[in-house]
Amino acid sequence: MPTTAQVRLFSLQRRPLAAGLTLALAAGAQGQEQGLTLEEVIVTAQLRAESLQDVPISVSAVSGDKLIEANITNLEALTTYVPNFSMNQSGISNNITIRGVSSGINPGFEQSTGMYVDNIYYGRGQLARSPLFDLERIEVLRGPQPILFGKNSIAGAVSMVSAKPTREFEGSFTALYEVEEERQDYRLVLSGPLTDTLSGRLSLMYRDVEGPYTNTFTGDDEKQEEEMVYRGSLLWEPTEQLSVWAKYERSDFDDNGRNVELHQSIVREDLVGTGQGTDYITALDNFVGLANGVLGLQPPVDYSGDDGELNRVRGGNSDFHDNQSDVFVLKIDYDLGGLTLTSTTGYLEYEFQQDCDCDFTSATVFNALQDEAFEQFSQEIRVTSPGGETIDYIAGLYYQTNELDFEDSINVMDNSLLRILNPNFSDIRTRRFADQESDMWAAFAQVTWNISDTFRLVLGGRYSEEDKKATKTQVHFGPDDQPTPATDPTGQTPNVLWGLNPLFGAFSIEPYDTISGNRKEEEFNPLVTLQWDATDDMMLYATYVEGFKAGGFDIRSNGHPDPNVVNAQNLGRGLDIRGVFEFEDESAESFEVGAKMRIGDTAELNVAAFYTEYTNLQTSQFDGVLGFNVQNAGEAEISGVELDGRWLVTGGLTLSAAVAYLDFEYTDFKNNQCYFGQQVLDPGSVQPDGVTCDATGQRKEYTPEWTGSLIADYVMPLGDSLELRTTLDLNYSDPYTYNPTLDPRSEQDAFTRVNLRVALGAASGQWELAFVGQNLTDEDVVIYGGEAPLAGTLTGGTGIAYYKFLDRPATYALQGTYRF
């Protein structure tokens, strides 16, 4: 199974290709002498079952067995094994990144990386949280994939394939218990024939985690997770020409608490030693002491204090995240005398509710509630030629419609610390209502002209049209829970408190009546690929492709897009609360060359080099208080090299390795959000508006220069009936920035994580007992971070603290499997 590997571990950073070829050539020669054969990997990256070595795309494939063995339960855990790929959860968002390109924090976004489960598009970031369970494999396709996958897959695509019903009865039960987080994981799969032509499969999973964090305020372990997945599928094959597969899946996945804490509570560098600045945690302590002591506010402010250390100890309250999703898929394949007609029908819906204590402290300041409901229906019909002819092709039509209903609120409770600024900061709230509808259709085709036995020309194209409309409203409510008119905001107390008063405007949130918009976009994306079988064991390819990501509507912005609608000037902060509603489409031009090589019967080596230009990158920028505004970021150039290989060293030992090098540069990005203090520390970058800063020439967040891993799988017979199976993973990442402001204070250090699995089991595979250790080096890896909300307000702009989401620490689990 090809996975990733950090070739630095073999001193290949300076000469990866030459060293890799030397290793692979030696492997092939040795393997031929021993009579070994490396198992072939089959993928459907081009909607046909093909060998991975024949596909002219940079692809990483992770098998269902590897997902179970490595305890990979979500996309976030998968990132360890795939180069130039990451998935990050923040307090209010989920982002998938391929080759440094991702969407930002905004419910109006769809992902830049298209996620597909059984060919059904999962474009909403919330669906990236879905548990992974009972899959045949996951394929990660890097680079724009606009033709066969289509919808918005401008950075790449993640294709997940569910395990199908079998014609022979089989079943398995797997249980895992992890010590440090008290994690329990139970999985049951039953599959087999129901009649001569009908087979079924039933898959059940339950998972419960207490979490590695200690909450000093609630006394709980966090973040607590509970997941349940129920999946049933039927496969009906009445004739050799007809196959009908239907799947229904229900997922419930809930969290309590968060894996976040405050760190780096600092005074702005130019004020250090002057006595003029206050760091955020000190300011919090002082404000709570003043509120409860000198002023004696009633009810008092509850507060347990924060230590400011990165140690998985936090204060916080009222955090939860509840999700429910339902998915139905119907796939029909019919053989038309060599041609295959395929119909794929999909329906999915989800609802989620969350309460974010988004000041990330135990002090009662404010909380943010969010409620989102989504429905999607899609239909694809395509025809596929049999293959192996002079002209091979895939062509089809696609239709999709969806509806999004969104509501969130920011609530200041009756015991909020903000009463120290104004006693009316008590029992008030602001609510945002938004909905969005989309209808789109597309026609696509990909044709392969087999010019000779060794040379092929692939031409592809996709034409799509999308109609999208949305509305949004922002309303402030007073203690009587009655809405306050948006007109004449300076005369209404709630409006003053939420951001329009020069003395007490702490939130910079502007009320407005309903605004609406409509967009219609038409786009054609081409693809040209040349393939050459240079030898029987080496395929070379070169690809040019254009990608596209549709524009849309900003749901998270806290201001009206027209500053003349209401008098929104916040004089005390020097900010104009001008919001955003509509943002433009994003486009890409990408060039990729690569080689897929078989070296003897026991080794493979794949290399891909790419260069991509992005225009109008869609980014989401924190407004420095509580809002996020979508901006089109101008232009970026991305280039790099990806290399992976496998070597069957002996009959029991397989080495898998890969490395990724990434160079990312904003070539035109003058409107990035300034990081804390940048206006003072780097005034030359500040734009005329005083709010944005020029990031031209900078790297984007989540773009480490080198990443990868090395995996060793070893199977040792113990007599005739037992086997000892050992897997050792080494996963490396260079330093990277994780803050969208590109704050140089927000850098993750380089790290190497070590995972180990040692299993004893029957040689037949009937049973197995394993030890699973993950992140045994106990690396602290920040997966998301930013400036603590309202820190600038409470410190008068002189200090800050950063919130940081940490990945899991070292964990140790026992896993047992019984197959029948």
Side-chain angles (χ1 to χ4, degrees), residues 37 58 159 183 218 220 257 309 340 359 385 431 549 584 588 610 625 657 688 712 723:
T37 302
S58 179
S159 176
R183 184 186 320 167
T218 65
D220 295 331
E309 300 293 329
T340 301
D359 57 80
S385 68
R431 300 174 66 185
K549 184 183 176 189
E584 298 303 316
F610 59 89
V625 188
E723 286 182 345

Side-chain angles (χ1 to χ4, degrees), residues 143-211:
Q145 305 295 324
I147 311 304
L148 299 180
F149 287 92
K151 180 72 170 152
N152 292 336
S153 303
I154 195 169
V158 178
S159 176
M160 296 176 242
V161 182
S162 299
K164 304 299 188 296
T166 55
R167 294 187 177 183
E168 301 294 330
F169 175 76
E170 63 180 42
S172 66
F173 176 74
T174 301
L176 177 143
Y177 179 77
E178 196 282 322
V179 178
E180 296 296 320
E181 302 179 15
E182 299 184 33
R183 184 186 320 167
Q184 302 177 65
D185 189 313
Y186 306 101
R187 308 174 183 212
L188 174 67
V189 176
L190 299 172
S191 180
L194 301 176
T195 70
D196 291 341
T197 60
L198 183 66
S199 300
R201 189 178 188 94
L202 177 65
S203 309
L204 308 173
M205 184 192 81
Y206 175 79
R207 179 173 172 266
D208 181 79
V209 180
E210 288 298 308

Side-chain angles (χ1 to χ4, degrees), residues 29 70 93 109 134 160 176-177 238 264 266 309 325 353 437 460 489 496 509 573 580 619 644 687 750 788 803:
S93 72
F109 278 141
D134 195 29
M160 296 176 242
L176 177 143
Y177 179 77
Q264 287 179 279
I266 62 172
E309 300 293 329
S325 67
Q353 304 82 35
E437 297 180 5
V496 171
I509 301 176
R573 298 184 54 82
V580 177
T619 66
D644 67 78
Q687 297 301 287
Y803 67 89

Side-chain angles (χ1 to χ4, degrees), residues 251-320:
S251 298
D252 293 274
F253 43 107
D254 305 330
D255 301 339
N256 282 298
R258 295 187 187 274
N259 53 321
V260 64
E261 58 187 306
L262 291 182
H263 186 225
Q264 287 179 279
S265 184
I266 62 172
V267 174
R268 202 175 67 213
E269 286 82 350
D270 64 304
L271 298 177
V272 173
T274 67
Q276 301 179 39
T278 306
D279 71 276
Y280 181 42
I281 288 180
T282 299
L284 273 177
D285 292 340
N286 291 342
F287 272 112
V288 172
L290 180 61
N292 292 341
V294 177
L295 299 181
L297 293 182
Q298 295 297 324
V301 177
D302 294 328
Y303 184 55
S304 65
D306 287 279
D307 59 15
E309 300 293 329
L310 197 65
N311 54 6
R312 294 189 173 85
V313 176
R314 67 180 295 257
N317 51 74
S318 71
D319 281 305
F320 70 83

Side-chain angles (χ1 to χ4, degrees), residues 733-806:
S733 173
D734 260 359
Y736 59 83
T737 300
Y738 50 79
N739 190 331
T741 67
L742 309 183
D743 191 326
R745 309 177 190 94
S746 301
E747 182 173 271
Q748 168 64 47
D749 294 334
F751 60 88
T752 300
R753 284 190 282 202
V754 178
N755 302 325
L756 175 66
R757 186 178 193 271
V758 180
L760 178 67
S764 64
Q766 184 178 31
W767 64 270
E768 181 182 73
L769 182 64
F771 163 80
V772 182
Q774 295 178 294
N775 190 17
L776 297 180
T777 47
D778 200 23
E779 296 282 355
D780 288 335
V781 179
V782 180
I783 56 177
Y784 194 85
E787 293 85 357
L790 298 184
T793 297
L794 294 183
T795 65
T798 65
I800 198 71
Y802 296 86
Y803 67 89
K804 298 182 179 182
F805 285 78
L806 278 182

